[in-house]
Each structure stands twice: as structure tokens, then as C-alpha cells.
Amino acid sequence: MTTVNAEPPAAAVARDAHWSAKMARLKARKLPERSLRLCDDDEAKKNATDAALELAKARTTARADSIEQGIAEVDREAWMIARPDVVAAQLRLDAVESVLEDATVVLTFRALPRPAWEQLLRDHPPTEAQADQGMEYNVETYPAALIAACHIERDESGQEVPGMSEPEAQELLDAWPDSEAKALFTCALLANQTLRADLGKG
């Protein structure tokens, strides 16, 4: 008896290749990240705000001048940013933003893969009283655990290095005022709960 090896239909081959390419893209997606920016230097923040306002005013004046001088719309942006007042305001803004950046601490949090997220919830179940109030985790222990699990730290070359430990996270939650402690926990939480999909479209 002769065995005949039938070639798969060309449409099926193309469909497999198409899906393989799409699946590769889906698997290559990076986990979402969110950052919390903290700055205690009020003067640096004020200077940055003032400089941004000054640049906006300089651009508004330059735009009005460009219209008055009949500069074509297509050339207007280049004309505006070359005006001395705009150039000077931009340089001032760049300088104060650099100072602000140096005075700012940035904490970055990356979402956990779903199994790790679910395991963390299992590791920190609510107490009976908390469960009665509808809590899905222990509000005393889970925030620090989530913050530590999601926090990522990068060195100057962009390489990831060890970040915040759970005791360090708890120390910050205990030492900071309530609003800032909540912001810290919320940032880690939102990294895991922000939806990056458009549902029902297409």
C-alpha cells in the first residue's frame, strides 16, 4: 500500500504563519510600568513652573509676531523657535528642569505576571475581619509585599539592579504621611491593574 503525503492547503500554511507572527508579538510584549516621582525641593518645582510659563508666553508672543509678519503656517514653528526670546526662555527651562530632575527621586514599578500576582494574594490573605469588609488581601502586610515585588531599579547604564526590599517598603509606608504612603502603594497597584487594551473596537 502506497502512502501519499498530501501537501497542506496554501491558505492553511499562510494562516499558520500569520498566527505565529502575531503570537510572537503577543509574547514579546513588555509588562506595563508606572513611575512615582518625588521631589521635596519646592523652589526647584516653582522655578520649573515659572520657566515653563515664561516659555509659553514667549511662544505666544512669537506666534502673534509671525502672523503679523505674514510667516506661512508651514514655516511658523521653525520661525518661532528661532526668536531670541523663545531661545532664551527654552534655555532657562532646560536649566531649571535639569535641577529639578536632580532633586527628584523616581520609583518605577512593573506589573507582575498573573501567576506571581495571584501567588502574592495567596501569601497575604485577609484576616477574617478584613474579609468580612470585602478585602481581598491583608491590608497590613500586602502593600509592602506588592511594592517590593513590583519595584525595579536601574543603574546609570540602564541595567536592572536589586531594588526595594519588603522591610524597606514597610519602613517607607510607616514613615511617610498617609497621602504619600497611599500614592506609593497605588502606583504599584496601578502598574498591575491598568488595562492597555481597547475592548470592543475594530
Side-chain angles (χ1 to χ4, degrees):
M1 182 175 181
T2 304
T3 302
V4 177
N5 292 324
E7 290 291 328
V13 173
R15 187 167 57 248
D16 286 346
H18 171 79
W19 175 248
S20 294
K22 184 176 281 188
M23 189 63 185
R25 288 182 61 190
L26 290 171
K27 291 194 294 186
R29 294 178 77 225
K30 295 181 179 180
L31 293 166
E33 296 180 3
R34 290 185 72 99
S35 293
L36 178 66
R37 301 177 64 84
L38 303 160
C39 180
D40 294 332
D41 190 333
D42 291 336
E43 183 177 359
K45 290 188 283 188
K46 180 180 184 304
N47 289 341
T49 300
D50 290 347
L53 182 59
E54 182 182 345
L55 176 59
K57 289 179 178 177
R59 285 181 58 86
T60 298
T61 300
R63 181 172 181 79
D65 291 345
S66 72
I67 294 172
E68 185 177 324
Q69 295 189 31
I71 304 299
E73 183 70 33
V74 68
D75 299 323
R76 192 164 293 158
E77 181 64 22
W79 189 91
M80 287 167 51
I81 63 176
R83 297 303 90 199
D85 287 351
V86 175
V87 171
Q90 183 65 63
L91 289 173
R92 280 191 288 275
L93 179 59
D94 292 344
V96 297
E97 283 188 337
S98 178
V99 172
L100 178 62
E101 191 66 26
D102 290 342
T104 299
V105 175
V106 180
L107 296 174
T108 302
F109 300 93
R110 178 187 296 146
L112 300 172
R114 183 181 57 78
W117 166 267
E118 293 179 347
Q119 184 60 54
L120 199 64
L121 286 172
R122 286 193 293 270
D123 291 343
H124 298 272
T127 63
E128 186 175 338
Q130 291 169 351
D132 288 343
Q133 295 175 2
M135 304 291 185
E136 62 175 331
Y137 50 78
N138 187 314
V139 296
E140 300 298 328
T141 64
Y142 181 73
L146 179 67
I147 290 166
C150 295
H151 179 246
I152 58 171
E153 188 69 20
R154 296 184 177 98
D155 62 20
E156 293 181 359
S157 67
Q159 295 295 312
E160 290 190 19
V161 295
M164 195 182 313
S165 68
E166 194 170 327
E168 288 172 330
Q170 190 62 59
E171 182 180 357
L172 296 180
L173 289 171
D174 292 340
W176 287 1
D178 184 62
S179 59
E180 293 182 354
K182 284 179 179 174
L184 177 62
F185 174 51
T186 299
C187 193
L189 196 62
L190 287 177
N192 290 277
Q193 296 185 337
T194 298
L195 184 65
R196 296 185 300 174
D198 293 326
L199 303 179
K201 296 184 179 180

